[in-house]
Every structure is written in structure tokens, then in C-alpha cells.
Amino acid sequence: MSTRTAAQQAAPAPRPQELRGGAVPVRERPGHPAGAAPAAPLGPEEFRAAFPALERTTHLAGCGLAPRSTALDEALAQMLEAMAAHGAPWHLFEERTAQARERFAALVGAAPEQIAVVPNASVGAYQVASTADWNHRPRLVTTPLEFPSLAHVWLAQRPRGAEVVFAGDAEDYPAAVDGRTRLVSVPMTGYQDALRMPVADIAELAHAHGAELFVDAYQAAGVEPVDVDRLGCDYLVAGTSKYLLGLPGVAFLYARRPGAGALPPALTGWFGRRDPFAFDPRTLDFPESARRFETGTPPVPACYAAAAGLALVAGTDPARVRAHVRTLTAAAAEALRAQGERVREIPADRRGAHIGILDPRPARLAEALSRRGVAVSARGDVVRAAFHYYSNADDIASLCEALREHRSR
């Protein structure tokens, strides 16, 4: 990322407190510096105040892209000011990337050394798949509920010897996982219908057969508790452009034992070295930490945005966020059905942060709602209306009113 001075290269990088084997770092909240006494978790209205754009737009598209926040604006302004003041402030860019890594680690109950900064979930999945030797344990079990980008990575392992098997819902995994299984993949929450999966149970199943578990938490992190130890997963990937309130361009890959793969990662770059700043083109060495999965220069604006969004999320209680979102999704489904809309049926305890409105032309409906100031996200046969801690009952009323206006044309 940079050509640092000799003094900078010689200076040891600051080491964050680890969650295992040491003190747990204080999670920051906006305006609350680390190391000070922890503040009380933000309430929904206090949290909503960080998103002034919600005063003019009803944002129910968080499952696709987070709304703009004051924290995001401030972070990008800091990046631009650093460029103006320092010219090439790569050391500041590196610090902000490290900050994003540490904040994600704290969010999911991991150590920073278990977290790799990657461009997106697909690269994270590929890095994991590339370390597997499929010759002796060829089976890879996934599900049609998987986001296609990850499922396509799994399918692309077939020429390397992988036998990709699709389980339907959670109850189909036991029949698919056997002693020949190398990797089991499951979304924590489905991208289309927000179906929450029993990840811990599937982890137990995978481990009973000697397999590892890969979890896609993209549609869960930020709107419910995500704890890698409670989930029992070996790998977990999540990005910051949705419920983690950042921008597209960066994701995080958790690896319980980063160096456990049979092979080194197939995709690499200078940030995947033990010492990237040795600038040695003749040496290909991999650190034992999750940085072994990293490649080239990370996306600086997205890392600034990620650190800002994660700071906002760190100011909340994930259990309260989950309860708030669950209340709103239930109320929205009830209100929509009352005015004649068809809503995809998902049991409350298995419903994530969005509901699906059935429509023969979802993309057209999403466009019509956008013209009425309501942002939603179309996928497959549904229009997804997503809720976060910043959402409230007024958002449901705006959605219902916009739908009534559209249907009455």
C-alpha cells in the first residue's frame, strides 16, 4: 500500500488487545473513545439521529445498501483531509484499515489475527476453497438459499475434484453431510427471503463428520448477535455495505485456525506476506494469521467507511437490535397483508431483518416505490423491505401508503 520510511518499517505495528488470552477491548461508540468507561447502548431514536437522510427518504433497502450516515460523511471527510494535509498519508490509511479489522473482530467475538480484510465475500470464499485438498474428502455441501456469488465459487471447485451437493432447507443437511465431506456452507440468513438458519446445529453436524463449516453472515451482521464461538463456525464472511453501515468494496473473513488448510491460498499478493514491507519479490511466505488470505492494497475509502459503520453498530446492544427489528418486520407484514399485499410467510423466530413482498414484476415495483421516496430492494420474485435499528413505525406507514398509491393507479 505504501513506501514507508525506514523508521516506519522498523517500528513494530501497534498490537490490539486480543479477545482471547487477554483483556477484552472496550467497544467504541460514536463520540466515546476506547479506554473510557463504556456508555449505555444507544436507543433506536438516538441511533436514527445519525442518519439525517432518513428525514427525506424511507430507507428499507438496508439488505442491499446502507443509508448515508453522519459517521460515513465524517470518515470520508477525514480521508480527504488527510490527503490534503499529508499528500500521501498511507500510514493513516493503514491505521484505518487496522481499525476496521479490530472493530469487526470485536463485533463477532474473534481476535484481530483471525480476521482477513478482503474485497468481497466471493474472494473470501475462494480463499478458503483454494486451501482445501478435495482428493480424499471431496464433498462440499451447500444450499440453494446461498447467495449465488458464493455458490458459484463452490461450483467452480468441481474441476479441482470437489463434489458439490445442494441441501434444501436446514432439515436436509443431515442427509447430505457424510464422512466424505470436507466443507459445509450455510448462510446465517438467506438473502432473498431472510430465512435464518440454525447455524450452530449445522456446525455440530459438520464437525461430527470431520468437516468444517463456512458461514455467510452478510445478511445478519449488524442486525442480530453474531458470535463465532456460539455459532461454532470455522469460517465466517460478512461485508460492510449493508447492515454494517459502510460502503461496497470491503468484507471480512474470519478463520478459526487460519493456517489449517492443506494448501496455501491460491490468490495472494504483497499484503499476504509475513512482512509486506520487506518488498521481497523472491519470497512467498504466508503468516499464520488470517492475513495470509489477503492480497493487494485494500480499498481505502471502503475501509474508512467500514470503520465508521462498525463504530455505529458497536454503540448498540445486538440483542436489542434483533428484538427491535423482529417487532418491525412482524408489524410490517401484518399491515401489508391488511391492505391486500402478499407477503412471503416466514416463521417469526426464523425471520431475519427483511420481509418479502410478492409481486409479478418486483423490479418495476421497486422503481415505483423509489419514485415515491421509499427505497426497497428487489430479488427474485419479491421486493425486500429491510429494517434496522434506525427504522421505526413511520417507515412502515410510508411503505404502506406508497404501495396503496401505486396499486390504485
Side-chain angles (χ1 to χ4, degrees), residues 177-200:
V177 178
D178 59 19
R180 298 170 61 248
T181 304
R182 171 69 180 80
L183 186 68
V184 178
S185 179
V186 61
M188 190 168 173
T189 301
Y191 76 98
Q192 185 174 1
D193 296 330
L195 182 67
R196 300 171 72 235
M197 299 290 279
V199 174

Side-chain angles (χ1 to χ4, degrees), residues 38-344:
L42 295 167
E45 291 305 315
E46 193 180 2
F47 189 73
R48 186 181 176 92
F51 301 86
L54 299 180
E55 297 303 314
R56 65 174 189 246
T57 301
T58 300
H59 193 93
L60 299 175
C63 55
L65 182 66
R68 179 178 173 180
S69 69
T70 53
L72 173 63
D73 288 0
E74 291 166 4
L76 296 181
Q78 289 168 7
M79 182 194 73
L80 295 174
E81 175 57 27
M83 294 172 67
H86 301 282
W90 286 105
H91 64 292
L92 297 178
F93 295 170
E94 293 160 19
E95 289 172 6
R96 195 56 60 103
T97 301
Q99 186 181 64
R101 184 199 312 274
E102 292 159 19
R103 287 177 176 172
F104 182 79
L107 178 71
V108 301
E113 289 77 10
Q114 294 174 301
I115 305 297
V117 179
V118 294
N120 50 55
S122 302
V123 170
Y126 174 76
Q127 292 295 69
V128 171
S130 73
T131 67
D133 180 352
W134 302 103
N135 292 319
H136 302 295
R137 298 176 71 98
R139 180 163 287 204
L140 192 164
V141 179
T142 182
T143 170
L145 303 175
E146 194 94 80
F147 189 70
S149 188
L150 268 67
H152 294 166
V153 171
W154 306 145
L155 292 172
Q157 303 312 305
R158 284 172 169 171
R160 298 184 57 228
E163 173 194 326
V164 182
V165 176
F166 284 86
D169 199 350
E171 62 267 17
D172 300 313
Y173 273 83
V177 178
D178 59 19
R180 298 170 61 248
T181 304
R182 171 69 180 80
L183 186 68
V184 178
S185 179
V186 61
M188 190 168 173
T189 301
Y191 76 98
Q192 185 174 1
D193 296 330
L195 182 67
R196 300 171 72 235
M197 299 290 279
V199 174
D201 292 342
I202 296 173
E204 185 176 353
L205 170 70
H207 295 157
H209 289 278
E212 292 184 312
L213 184 72
F214 184 100
V215 175
D216 175 7
Y218 224 121
Q219 293 288 341
V223 285
E224 65 177 280
V226 178
D227 185 295
V228 291
D229 285 338
R230 291 184 180 180
L231 293 174
C233 58
D234 301 283
Y235 303 98
L236 180 142
V237 69
T240 61
S241 61
K242 304 183 192 302
Y243 298 120
L244 291 180
L245 310 174
L247 290 174
V250 68
F252 299 98
L253 173 66
Y254 159 80
R256 184 173 298 279
R257 296 177 300 142
L263 303 168
L267 180 64
T268 193
W270 70 307
F271 269 84
R273 302 287 67 78
R274 291 180 181 271
D275 179 8
F277 298 101
F279 300 111
D280 183 358
R282 296 179 177 84
T283 301
L284 186 66
D285 55 5
F286 291 88
E288 290 303 311
S289 72
R291 289 192 64 155
R292 69 192 288 111
F293 296 110
E294 296 183 10
T295 56
T297 303
V300 172
C303 288
Y304 269 76
L310 286 162
L312 277 173
V313 171
T316 68
D317 177 343
R320 291 187 188 180
V321 174
R322 167 63 184 155
H324 180 80
V325 166
R326 181 170 171 173
T327 297
L328 289 176
T329 55
E334 182 180 358
L336 290 168
R337 291 191 182 103
Q339 66 182 49
E341 296 291 338
R342 294 182 302 135
V343 178
R344 181 65 50 80

Side-chain angles (χ1 to χ4, degrees), residues 390-408:
Y390 53 69
S391 307
N392 61 24
D394 291 341
D395 297 330
I396 298 174
S398 297
L399 172 63
C400 290
E401 181 180 358
L403 278 165
R404 283 194 299 268
E405 292 177 358
H406 174 69
R407 302 299 191 197
S408 65

